[in-house]
Amino acid sequence: MSSSQPEAKVDVLIIGAGASAAAFAWSIADTRMNVLCLEQGDWTRPSEYPSTTMNWESDNASNSNPNYRRNAADYPINCDGSPIAVANYNGVGGGTVLFAGHFPRFHPSDFRVRSLDGLADDWPVDYHLLSPF
Ligand SMILES: Cc1cc2nc3c(=O)[nH]c(=O)nc-3n(C[C@H](O)[C@H](O)[C@H](O)COP(=O)(O)OP(=O)(O)OC[C@H]3O[C@@H](n4cnc5c(N)ncnc54)[C@H](O)[C@@H]3O)c2cc1C
């Protein structure tokens, strides 16, 4: 920004424009706060989503693993210690650009995987608190 332009005041800075960033930005859109969302990747028009091409399944642009896809905004991710390969998209919309449209319903036990299964962490909220939403 040049010194002749007024500096905009930012109240909330959101890094990344994926699913959770968009939901959070939307949730505070009615406040009077100035919200700035910075995304390292580019915009993708829905008509140009990787999955709309004929060869999307074999086309590397649709590959959900950035280590193979290597788009300009991708960065290498070390999955050596992980039992699953990384799947993401780096651009406005984040992973939702490659989203499969599958909406599994949570179970109360999904919020307590540390206590019940010794995996990951328990959520700080439980199923019953979220179910009205
Ligand atoms: C192929 C595929 C299919 C899927 N299908 C489903 C489905 O059917 N059902 C379902 O529930 N979920 C599905 N998911 C998962 C879902 O898309 C993700 O859980 C969700 O997008 C995660 O949201 P997020 O905001 O945590 O992260 P992301 O959506 O990954 O967003 C993170 C964003 O931050 C950006 N970013 C990262 N670092 C920086 C930085 N330093 N500076 C600026 N920007 C940065 C990234 O570029 C990215 O855009 C799918 C995911 C993939 C990859």
Side-chain angles (χ1 to χ4, degrees):
M1 180 180 288
S2 80
S3 57
S4 61
Q5 293 176 313
E7 286 190 26
K9 177 173 167 270
V10 174
D11 300 307
V12 179
L13 174 63
I14 303 174
I15 308 293
S20 50
F24 178 63
W26 175 77
S27 76
I28 58 174
D30 288 340
T31 69
R32 299 177 69 88
M33 292 189 286
N34 285 322
V35 181
L36 178 65
C37 188
L38 297 178
E39 166 57 51
Q40 66 178 354
D42 214 340
W43 291 87
T44 307
R45 277 183 273 193
S47 62
E48 296 168 1
Y49 278 179
S51 55
T52 59
T53 60
M54 285 295 283
N55 300 323
W56 70 272
E57 284 177 294
S58 56
D59 182 356
N60 232 22
S62 314
N63 198 315
S64 56
N65 188 329
N67 292 334
Y68 295 103
R69 182 179 56 219
R70 294 172 186 249
N71 282 349
D74 287 331
Y75 44 89
I77 297 180
N78 185 339
C79 304
D80 289 350
S82 172
I84 56 171
V86 63
N88 75 1
Y89 188 83
N90 295 307
V92 176
T96 66
V97 171
L98 299 174
F99 204 75
H102 177 67
F103 297 95
R105 185 170 185 99
F106 281 119
H107 293 261
S109 58
D110 293 332
F111 293 76
R112 303 183 57 231
V113 290
R114 166 60 66 185
S115 301
L116 298 174
D117 307 318
L119 293 169
D121 279 318
D122 288 350
W123 285 47
V125 296
D126 68 12
Y127 176 91
H128 301 289
L129 186 75
L130 288 185
S131 65
F133 306 98

